[in-house]
Amino acid sequence: GAVVSQHPSRVICKSGTSVKIECRSLDFQATTMFWYRQFPKKSLMLMATSNEGSKATYEQGVEKDKFLINHASLTLSTLTVTSAHPEDSSFYICSATSRANNEQFFGPGTRLTVL
Amino acid sequence: GENVEQHPSTLSVQEGDSAVIKCTYSDSASNYFPWYKQELGKRPQLIIDIRSNVGEKKDQRIAVTLNKTAKHFSLHITETQPEDSAVYFCAARTSGTYKYIFGTGTRLKVLA
């Protein structure tokens, strides 16, 4: 099946720093990529929808200046958590939709811990 | 806005018994309903899906049923095994978009 990678898998940073997470579709072109946040024992909360070459669409309540999304190509989207604080600690998962069949494939996730 | 409710939140069954998880969606324009299995710290994995033009789909021990009129769909796992223990999420996708709305998840424990 299609493969989506995320980097890094884990990151620990100090409060106030910015963290960039990359999401790549390795063997297919992604029409759209999505960024989710998942708290422990909770569901996936959609943060934003990212289309190549255009601005991301953010869900209600998600600060676009806090969570910067760049979708530079059909295989790469990045999420930058700016001026991270402890409450931003979470599991961030991306997904990519295949142009071929519209199926959504998930990345392995990035666990962010802000001290 | 769009909403997907999922029940139960936790479910314990004896090995070999069946497990049923139910979801209800709010957007009548939803036309695609995948189910995901997520193990601790891992990515969600698609286990089965159903489209709105189908009422039931089966894949070995897993089946999904869809009632469009009532706007609910269910996951059925038969002959459960300990390795079925995980968190299961339903989702609904609206026609014309690629956006998924996820249910709140069900933690399934299969007791040996």
Side-chain angles (χ1 to χ4, degrees):
Chain A
V3 178
V4 176
S5 71
Q6 258 181 264
H7 178 80
S9 58
R10 287 180 179 273
V11 57
I12 300 173
C13 68
K14 291 182 179 178
S15 189
T17 59
S18 293
V19 175
K20 181 188 280 189
I21 303 169
E22 290 187 350
C23 177
R24 292 181 187 273
S25 56
L26 297 185
D27 52 358
F28 67 99
Q29 291 188 328
T31 315
T32 304
M33 289 184 169
F34 299 91
W35 287 97
Y36 296 88
R37 185 173 181 177
Q38 188 176 32
F39 290 105
K41 300 186 179 180
K42 297 293 184 184
S43 187
L44 288 86
M45 184 193 81
L46 180 64
M47 298 174 68
T49 303
S50 171
N51 291 294
E52 184 260 341
S54 62
K55 288 184 180 178
T57 302
Y58 289 82
E59 294 299 303
Q60 193 172 11
V62 179
E63 298 175 61
K64 61 180 181 181
D65 296 329
K66 172 78 173 172
F67 300 100
L68 300 178
I69 292 172
N70 185 356
H71 196 148
S73 74
L74 282 171
T75 59
L76 173 64
S77 176
T78 60
L79 168 69
T80 301
V81 183
T82 61
S83 186
H85 290 283
E87 56 266 31
D88 298 324
S89 299
S90 191
F91 193 50
Y92 292 87
I93 306 180
C94 71
S95 70
T97 301
S98 167
R99 287 180 107 177
N101 59 12
N102 293 335
E103 190 174 330
Q104 197 167 140
F105 299 94
F106 285 87
T110 297
R111 185 161 302 284
L112 170 64
T113 303
V114 184
L115 303 175
Chain B
E2 307 125 335
N3 185 47
V4 176
E5 294 187 0
Q6 184 171 345
H7 299 281
S9 56
T10 59
L11 178 60
S12 292
V13 299
Q14 287 293 134
E15 182 177 1
D17 286 352
S18 295
V20 180
I21 302 170
K22 298 181 179 181
C23 287
T24 304
Y25 59 98
S26 62
D27 187 352
S28 56
S30 297
N31 65 350
Y32 174 68
F33 308 92
W35 283 90
Y36 289 87
K37 176 183 180 182
Q38 187 180 30
E39 297 177 359
L40 190 63
K42 302 286 179 66
R43 76 185 86 194
Q45 299 276 11
L46 178 69
I47 56 171
I48 197 167
D49 56 11
I50 192 167
R51 299 185 188 275
S52 58
N53 59 348
V54 175
E56 185 173 356
K57 184 177 177 181
K58 191 173 181 181
D59 182 4
Q60 300 182 350
R61 297 188 296 108
I62 296 172
V64 56
T65 59
L66 171 65
N67 183 328
K68 279 182 61 178
T69 304
K71 291 191 283 188
H72 65 68
F73 55 113
S74 300
L75 177 71
H76 304 252
I77 305 174
T78 58
E79 300 170 35
T80 54
Q81 300 165 3
E83 51 266 37
D84 294 330
S85 297
V87 179
Y88 291 81
F89 292 99
C90 63
R93 186 182 73 194
T94 300
S95 173
T97 78
Y98 302 116
K99 193 166 81 168
Y100 289 17
I101 303 299
F102 281 86
T104 46
T106 297
R107 185 171 299 278
L108 174 64
K109 282 188 186 176
V110 180
L111 307 171

